[in-house]
Amino acid sequence: METFPGYGGTPLALHRMGTGRPVVLLHGLFSSAEVNWIKFGTAAQLAAAGFECLMPDLRAHGRSAAPHDPAAYPGDVLVRDLEALIAHFGLTDFDLAGFSLGSRTSARAVIAGARPRRLVLGGMGLEGLAGWARRQQFFLDMLDRFGTIRPGDPAYAAQQFLKTMGTDPAAARLLLGTMEDTAPEALAAITMPTLVLCGDKDNDNGSADRLAAALPDARRAVIPGTHMSSVTEAAMGAEMVAFLTA
């Protein structure tokens, strides 16, 4: 692990694996690069296929800084952090892949001007981009009640995952406030070949089929699993390798 300066100089953790063509991998909400990409072998599959995996822990996640200063959380700060990573490493020809929040960040970065050769949007549907405010409110409510939510409550699993990951609730709340809906018509800016990759039981972020249909050059892939379990499947890495090496 190493660090690089994110937006405003915030130190962010970066995990690397493999050598070859750079692919930036962005993990999901309350997770980390270790859990999403390393632990279950996805990064190893990409490295074996000739890629250098660049895997940041997003701001307020994993081993990255989790500042409590509201000034450290301007709008779309995760996009700004990704732009800082691209600039810091001088990436001009690279691929980009995300899962859940990482997909949301990747899509918004492309709309803002990032130009990966190929894009992978994992664990994401159209409503997770265009209807994010509703999903955001679910997490804000969970954070407001953090530590008091009991089994049987729909927010219980999210609370327990946050505890398991050691995510700072105050920093997480500040980060959630930086995110906005993405207008469906803005997706027209995502012109590079895109893989929309989702578990067969994953509807957490809405319809992956509708997202693929809304993109100019997308293909859809289905792997086993729910939103939480699909990242544990070897099929995730296999589909990503097949798409990125095509």
Side-chain angles (χ1 to χ4, degrees):
M1 193 201 77
E2 60 192 85
T3 62
F4 70 96
Y7 172 78
T10 299
L12 302 179
L14 180 74
H15 309 257
R16 290 187 189 234
M17 185 182 295
T19 58
R21 179 179 181 77
V23 56
V24 179
L25 305 174
L26 303 182
H27 65 75
L29 183 64
F30 306 147
S31 192
S32 67
E34 169 66 31
V35 169
N36 265 181
W37 307 120
I38 300 171
K39 183 176 181 179
F40 301 104
T42 298
Q45 289 186 64
L46 287 162
F51 290 89
E52 179 185 18
C53 301
L54 303 175
M55 302 170 281
D57 284 339
L58 301 180
R59 180 178 299 245
H61 290 78
R63 299 185 185 183
S64 287
H68 284 192
D69 181 358
Y73 297 91
D76 265 338
V77 69
L78 296 182
V79 172
R80 300 185 192 207
D81 285 337
L82 175 57
E83 291 169 344
L85 183 154
I86 292 168
H88 181 76
F89 291 102
L91 301 180
T92 57
D93 185 18
F94 65 98
D95 296 314
L96 177 61
F99 182 80
S100 195
L101 175 60
S103 290
R104 186 185 180 284
T105 303
S106 297
R108 289 184 68 82
V110 170
I111 292 167
R115 286 293 173 263
R117 180 194 62 129
R118 290 191 169 220
L119 177 67
V120 178
L121 301 178
M124 184 52 62
L126 181 62
E127 293 77 9
L129 293 171
W132 165 252
R134 184 174 170 184
R135 185 92 169 130
Q136 180 185 51
Q137 190 54 50
F138 169 84
F139 290 118
L140 289 172
D141 172 70
M142 180 273 292
L143 289 167
D144 287 343
R145 298 188 293 127
F146 187 77
T148 68
I149 303 169
R150 310 305 301 169
D153 189 302
Y156 181 74
Q159 173 191 261
Q160 297 311 104
F161 186 60
L162 197 79
K163 287 182 177 181
T164 298
M165 295 301 299
T167 305
D168 183 326
R173 203 180 203 293
L174 287 167
L175 183 64
L176 283 168
T178 70
M179 303 173 193
E180 300 177 357
D181 279 353
T182 303
E185 56 269 24
L187 299 177
I190 303 177
T191 56
M192 66 284 300
T194 301
L195 176 67
V196 177
L197 176 63
C198 226
D200 58 356
K201 297 178 180 65
D202 181 5
N203 298 302
D204 281 26
N205 281 309
S207 170
D209 289 339
R210 290 185 64 196
L211 175 58
L215 295 169
D217 185 6
R219 57 162 286 214
R220 176 82 165 90
V222 181
I223 62 173
T226 63
H227 195 67
M228 294 295 288
S229 70
S230 59
V231 299
T232 72
E233 296 285 343
M236 174 167 280
E239 289 286 353
M240 291 173 67
V241 167
F243 174 71
L244 294 176
T245 58

